[in-house]
Amino acid sequence: MNGAETLPAAPPSRLRQALRAHPAAAVAGCLLLVIAVACVVGPWLLPHGPDALDWDHFAEPPGIAHGHYLGTDSLGRDILARTLSGGQISLAVGLVATLVSLVIGVTWGAVAGYVGGRVDSIMMRIVDVLYALPFMFFVILLMVFFGRHLILIFVAIGAINWLDMARIVRGQTLALKQQAFIDAARIGGSSGARILLRHIVPNLLGVVAVYVTLTIPQVMLFESFLSFLGLGVQEPQASWGSLVNEGAREMQLAPWALLAPASMLALTLFCFNFLGDGLRDALDPRDG
């Protein structure tokens, strides 16, 4: 066994077989792709923009007569256009904030697990202390003191979601560093940083990929909750959370203004969860 050896990753054929065995995961992946493309391209193809006001059709129910396929809100804005446009923000928050938590969590957990000893103890006690902080209150304070900027939402949510990732990665790293191919890499003269980058981190990708599919909906729900409280995305921008907040206020006058963004948010969250189940089984080495 040479120093360059790593644990075998799930081949594409195995991934395809696992997705065939879990049709819900395959359908979820296709639906997510359709939702993402619709959110990016859809607002450009619709006859009404997300911020355009139709003075002749306030709180109009869904229909095709005037091009408002999902109706309008109390200000005459097209619900479908606003829902697709809001999906851009919600998906971007989910992806970017998850990327932030991914970078911090994987780095922190891999270093703590591989170095071990006192360094591991100190790093994980820091994680324990951070777990005890009321992060919802912390993010709300950030929004109040530094303004409700979209970039701040990305960073703030991502910076508080890395703790679970760090613990999971640390546990996997502790198991991986006991493997024979890690000993072979050490004997071959590989440095600690090289072992982390070439051997530890690549073999964490399966677990990380599964956890990412669970983190993205968690982040999206967190952003939706902030927007529902009025502390997230602000006008003229909109996310699914802020649209749900607006729709809840107009529920008696125009219930479709609530149903459209709420349905899209729920469908997206379900898709990520089903996709995560499929990836978990596909990348589980015990099923080889």
Side-chain angles (χ1 to χ4, degrees), residues 193-282:
R194 180 179 176 84
I195 292 175
L196 279 173
L197 293 176
R198 293 289 302 274
H199 304 287
I200 299 293
V201 172
N203 284 287
L204 295 171
L205 294 181
V207 174
V208 169
V210 173
Y211 190 73
V212 162
T213 62
L214 303 177
T215 302
I216 293 177
Q218 178 185 1
V219 168
M220 292 176 64
L221 276 177
F222 193 81
E223 182 277 327
S224 298
F225 180 70
L226 288 176
S227 296
F228 187 81
L229 294 178
L231 297 173
V233 177
Q234 301 297 307
E235 294 285 357
Q237 294 176 322
S239 69
W240 283 334
S242 64
L243 291 176
V244 168
N245 184 27
E246 295 174 7
R249 294 197 300 264
E250 302 177 4
M251 189 166 54
Q252 293 183 342
L253 179 63
W256 49 87
L258 171 62
L259 292 176
S263 299
M264 287 292 288
L265 177 60
L267 178 61
T268 302
L269 298 182
F270 276 123
C271 286
F272 273 115
N273 285 322
F274 283 126
L275 183 61
D277 288 340
L279 287 177
R280 179 194 60 201
D281 294 338

Side-chain angles (χ1 to χ4, degrees), residues 34-288:
V34 171
I35 290 172
V37 172
C39 289
V40 173
V41 179
W44 297 93
L45 303 178
L46 294 174
H48 304 281
D51 300 321
L53 303 179
D54 190 339
W55 299 99
D56 298 323
H57 303 95
F58 294 111
E60 179 183 350
I64 61 174
H66 305 288
H68 299 296
Y69 306 114
L70 294 183
T72 62
D73 60 13
S74 60
L75 298 178
R77 295 176 296 187
D78 187 74
I79 296 298
L80 178 57
R82 287 181 61 76
T83 299
L84 294 180
S85 179
Q88 297 177 6
I89 301 296
S90 292
L91 292 174
V93 169
L95 293 174
V96 176
T98 298
L99 179 62
V100 173
S101 68
L102 182 68
V103 171
I104 299 175
V106 170
T107 302
W108 192 276
V111 171
Y114 181 75
V115 175
R118 181 170 297 180
V119 173
D120 177 33
S121 180
I122 293 174
M123 293 179 71
M124 297 317 295
R125 295 299 76 75
I126 293 175
V127 170
D128 292 338
V129 170
L130 293 177
Y131 257 117
L133 297 178
F135 282 112
M136 177 63 73
F137 183 67
F138 174 69
V139 173
I140 290 175
L141 285 179
L142 285 179
M143 299 295 107
V144 172
F145 283 105
F146 295 101
R148 303 167 189 176
H149 196 278
L150 189 60
I151 300 299
L152 181 61
I153 296 175
F154 289 164
V155 175
I157 297 178
I160 68 173
N161 271 277
W162 64 272
L163 301 177
D164 289 333
M165 178 73 75
R167 281 188 164 181
I168 291 173
V169 168
R170 172 185 175 269
Q172 294 294 317
T173 302
L174 288 174
L176 282 173
K177 76 175 186 178
Q178 305 299 326
Q179 299 293 323
F181 71 91
I182 297 297
D183 293 334
R186 292 196 190 101
I187 295 174
S190 297
S191 64
R194 180 179 176 84
I195 292 175
L196 279 173
L197 293 176
R198 293 289 302 274
H199 304 287
I200 299 293
V201 172
N203 284 287
L204 295 171
L205 294 181
V207 174
V208 169
V210 173
Y211 190 73
V212 162
T213 62
L214 303 177
T215 302
I216 293 177
Q218 178 185 1
V219 168
M220 292 176 64
L221 276 177
F222 193 81
E223 182 277 327
S224 298
F225 180 70
L226 288 176
S227 296
F228 187 81
L229 294 178
L231 297 173
V233 177
Q234 301 297 307
E235 294 285 357
Q237 294 176 322
S239 69
W240 283 334
S242 64
L243 291 176
V244 168
N245 184 27
E246 295 174 7
R249 294 197 300 264
E250 302 177 4
M251 189 166 54
Q252 293 183 342
L253 179 63
W256 49 87
L258 171 62
L259 292 176
S263 299
M264 287 292 288
L265 177 60
L267 178 61
T268 302
L269 298 182
F270 276 123
C271 286
F272 273 115
N273 285 322
F274 283 126
L275 183 61
D277 288 340
L279 287 177
R280 179 194 60 201
D281 294 338
L283 300 173
D284 190 347
R286 293 171 297 183
D287 294 338

